[in-house]
Amino acid sequence: MGEYEPNPSEAEEPQPQEAAAAGPRDILAEIDDDALSAYILNLWRDDIRDREAYGWDFRRQYDQYSYDGYKKVMEGPWHNSSNYAVGLTPTFVDVGHANTVGSMFADRERVVRSKGIGPEDIRTERPMESLINWQILNDIDEAYDTVDKTVHCAFKHANAAIKVVQGSGLAGQKKKVIWTRIPIENLFFPANCKGGTRARQSSHIIELIPLTPTEVEERKLLKDQNGEPIYKGLEDLKPGNRLFTGTAQESIMLAKDATSGTSLGEMYSRSMSYIGEVYVTYCHKPKDGGEATIVELIVHIAPGGGKIMRKVLNEDLDENSSDYVRPYSLKWIPYPNDDRIYGNSLPWMLKQTQEELDYAHNSVHNASEKILKKEKLDKY
């Protein structure tokens, strides 16, 4: 009896398990790091230009100065003449902040309300509601503090964001849900972005992450299932934000340093290293001219130079919407604009009224001081 000769098509066809296992690895291996890096850096530059073209960073500086009542020493009409800020802006910001947080946490035992849709949901809505509220109040570290600061930042700076992840090997939280407030100046996305929780809302979201020397060493120690380092090239990261000329981080930090009387700006430029965490929908075009593939990636990239340190497929798929999930809650916008993600801050909206009050107050004070000085001179 002759030997069995398999059908050529049958012999070449991979088994389903092998194909499923090989597919993602093949796509990642095929993606050229240089092409991906150039694509991300171009998106990043465009986001910076679109955001700063008409003075977004100047407005955020004004928000900080106005809220803190910061004024420079006046040299006219005479040295150290009155130049004080009336406390209008901080009063409005704090009232809006307090009322919003107070309404959200009016009932500390029932921050979230869950309502079932179908009969099978109604039976479990109360246990589900209790579980979610217990998790927010007890399991998520500093949940109230995170929301409190986010709401305050939203009123003061027009936008705010919270990053929601499950588990982190960096601080030993394992499978816990973690909420982190992200400074809005450290996030980059298209000006017409619709949100940060689904891939369809935006082509990409980039977070600029500052890392202390200890955090850099911690990331160097992280290994994958095969014992290989998760990040490649971290040893080449140098301290300082070597991103692009014209970013708002430095100018906003200088405003915060001036109003607080302490310096974080120098520390961030002297001691901190930076890495970009990118959630991006990428069109991969094979070099052999094959069919293009749309993939959802999570990429870590060095802002200075664009070295790709890690790239993986985003496998967090929402089965109900068939859309990939991203971890950013961006809809903390008290005064939104219709056609763009960036809203209006309360200090900027009160700018005219605040400056009129300051002018009136200081004019009266200076006039009174001038009269008193004249009377004193006339007396002697």
Side-chain angles (χ1 to χ4, degrees), residues 27 30-31 281-286 290-296:
I27 293 176
E30 289 175 8
I31 294 175
T281 304
Y282 183 67
C283 181
H284 167 56
K285 299 177 181 178
E291 185 177 355
T293 305
I294 303 295
V295 290
E296 182 69 16

Side-chain angles (χ1 to χ4, degrees), residues 191-194 333 335-344:
N192 63 348
C193 169
K194 304 302 182 185
I333 314 172
Y335 306 102
N337 286 307
D338 295 336
D339 56 349
R340 62 203 68 200
I341 189 69
Y342 295 106
N344 295 310

Side-chain angles (χ1 to χ4, degrees), residues 170-318:
L170 300 179
Q173 284 106 335
K174 296 182 180 179
K175 296 298 182 182
K176 291 186 68 172
V177 175
I178 303 167
W179 290 359
T180 307
R181 187 184 71 84
I182 306 298
I184 195 64
E185 63 268 21
N186 286 358
L187 288 175
F188 303 85
F189 32 71
N192 63 348
C193 169
K194 304 302 182 185
T197 59
R198 296 290 187 271
R200 61 179 169 78
Q201 296 173 325
S202 172
S203 62
H204 65 280
I205 295 179
I206 303 171
E207 179 188 352
L208 183 66
I209 302 177
L211 300 173
T212 64
T214 301
E215 290 170 335
V216 172
E217 294 301 321
E218 286 178 343
R219 292 187 182 239
K220 288 180 182 179
L221 297 175
L222 294 178
K223 309 288 184 182
D224 61 16
Q225 295 178 347
N226 299 321
E228 297 294 326
I230 289 180
Y231 297 93
K232 295 177 174 59
L234 276 177
E235 60 278 358
D236 298 328
L237 276 182
K238 304 298 181 185
N241 178 9
R242 297 175 178 84
L243 187 54
F244 313 111
T245 302
T247 56
Q249 284 77 23
E250 184 176 356
S251 58
I252 294 174
M253 186 60 70
L254 287 174
K256 293 180 179 179
D257 287 350
T259 59
S260 67
T262 56
S263 176
L264 274 179
E266 289 191 12
M267 187 193 76
Y268 272 73
S269 60
R270 179 185 67 239
S271 306
M272 308 289 273
S273 300
Y274 292 82
I275 191 171
E277 183 171 291
V278 187
Y279 292 78
V280 59
T281 304
Y282 183 67
C283 181
H284 167 56
K285 299 177 181 178
K287 294 181 178 180
D288 59 6
E291 185 177 355
T293 305
I294 303 295
V295 290
E296 182 69 16
L297 298 175
I298 304 174
V299 181
H300 289 84
I301 184 173
K307 179 179 177 59
I308 300 294
M309 298 182 172
R310 179 178 181 243
K311 65 175 186 284
V312 296
L313 292 175
N314 184 355
E315 298 179 346
D316 193 355
L317 182 67
D318 184 349

